[in-house]
Amino acid sequence: MNWWQLFKQNPLSRIGASLLIVFYVLAIGAGFFAPYDPINDLQREGSLLPPTPIHWQNQAGEFIGPHVYPIQQGATDLETGKRELIVDRSEPSPIRLFVSGSSYRLLGIIPANIHLFGTVGPGKLNLLGTDEQGRDQLSRLIFGGQVSLSIGLVGICISFPIGMLVGGISGYVGGAVDTVIMRLTEVLMTIPGLYLLIALAAILPSGLSSAQRFLLIVTIISFISWAGLARVIRGQVLSIKEQEFVQAARAMGAKPLYIIVRHVLPQTATYLIISATLSIPGFIVAESVLSLIGLGIQQPDPSWGNLLANATNASILVFQPWLIWPPALLVVLTVLSFNLIGDGLRDALDPRSLR
């Protein structure tokens, strides 16, 4: 039985993989799946609206299909702190699939304006309510996934090659080179990651765009996260370099760097695959924490981290909890899914299981 069959037999890993596939598909096609533009579609008098109720019958009791009514916020009740909702029931807005709306670029290339669902008429369908600016929260969640889900993949693409190469050279060459590299690695590992991120993010120029800030955050996180991987790879290379196939390549005159890249590092692929799936959640959580405290992706650009920043507002936490729980749940489910996949791969790639 091969490792793929063993992996598919793990029900928790299948659940985690299915959730991640859904999340990444939504993030990749965010413009199509999101009903509104996450930045520019502002609803007048529609800030902090609760999730829009869907109706099936008109005021006369006749069935007219799923529809919504235009809703606005009224005056605030000074005693309870709640705001009255003003519903205009004279203009029902049908809910339809594949409706035209704000323009976007599918996959960042193809211009389009068709959305998976939406309304026809003045009414807006806000399944998760609106934020303080009257922007659709569901659309911001979907677009925010582009940042929060990609930061982990970009992070391991930067940190893993560095850790693999440094650990491979250290373990294969040995001697003084090994000693110097490992001492530098240990110094880097003693640096508290979160405090370094906060310190470096705080001194970034204020004029940076969200894309530039995003790249800097990924670079910072990747720079401090490769040291642990390098130590593990170095330990594996110390045993692999004594194997017969490595000795044969050395006897045939192969250069050390070629032997490391071509023969030694591929033998650590099992560990690398598992480690990658377990490292991605760390990047996602780091971005969420930085954005939560205002040092990551900045408004109005959405990410799951800065959407969670609403949790620092006590009134929103009490009166508009629909702004807090969806991004928190998505972060938890994403981190849990990657961990489940990592556990499944670890069990499936265990040599004893393969035998």
Side-chain angles (χ1 to χ4, degrees), residues 27-197:
I28 292 172
F32 172 71
F33 293 108
Y36 305 105
D37 186 285
I39 298 176
N40 300 317
D41 277 347
L42 308 178
Q43 300 182 36
R44 296 183 59 187
E45 304 297 331
S47 64
L48 298 177
L49 289 174
T52 305
I54 299 176
H55 304 271
W56 296 84
Q57 297 178 336
N58 60 15
Q59 288 183 293
E62 301 172 340
F63 179 83
I64 60 173
H67 62 279
V68 297
Y69 296 106
I71 301 177
Q72 293 182 349
Q73 288 278 22
T76 302
D77 189 328
L78 298 180
E79 295 183 359
T80 63
K82 297 182 179 180
R83 299 175 66 182
E84 179 188 2
L85 296 181
I86 302 174
V87 182
D88 183 2
R89 298 187 178 275
S90 64
E91 296 185 272
S93 300
I95 300 173
R96 297 288 184 263
L97 295 176
F98 308 111
V99 299
S100 60
S102 57
S103 300
Y104 61 91
R105 287 188 175 271
L106 188 63
L107 303 178
I109 302 174
I110 306 171
N113 66 347
I114 301 299
H115 299 263
L116 177 61
F117 65 92
T119 58
V120 180
K124 299 290 186 180
L125 178 60
N126 307 120
L127 293 178
L128 296 178
T130 61
D131 64 4
E132 301 95 326
Q133 305 298 324
R135 298 171 296 207
D136 181 58
Q137 183 74 352
L138 175 62
S139 300
R140 292 181 61 76
L141 273 177
I142 295 175
F143 274 91
Q146 293 181 330
V147 172
S148 299
L149 292 174
S150 62
I151 193 170
L153 300 179
V154 176
I156 63 172
C157 288
I158 296 175
S159 63
F160 269 53
I162 298 175
M164 289 170 56
L165 192 57
V166 171
I169 293 174
S170 178
Y172 185 82
V173 176
V177 174
D178 180 33
T179 302
V180 172
I181 291 178
M182 284 300 102
R183 297 299 80 78
L184 292 175
T185 301
E186 290 166 0
V187 170
L188 189 60
M189 292 178 65
T190 61
I191 299 175
L194 181 59
Y195 295 110
L196 176 65
L197 287 171

Side-chain angles (χ1 to χ4, degrees), residues 163 167 182 226-238 268 271:
M182 284 300 102
W226 62 264
L229 175 66
R231 283 186 60 86
V232 176
I233 295 298
R234 178 248 187 190
Q236 294 188 353
V237 170
L238 285 174
T268 65
Y271 170 79

Side-chain angles (χ1 to χ4, degrees), residues 268-291:
T268 65
T270 298
Y271 170 79
L272 290 173
I273 293 173
I274 299 170
S275 180
T277 57
L278 297 177
S279 298
I280 291 176
F283 289 96
I284 296 174
V285 172
E287 183 276 327
S288 299
V289 171
L290 285 177
S291 297

Side-chain angles (χ1 to χ4, degrees), residues 6 10 274 342-351 353-354:
L6 290 172
N10 189 322
I274 299 170
D343 290 341
L345 288 173
R346 180 186 58 198
D347 296 338
L349 294 172
D350 188 341
S353 299
L354 295 177

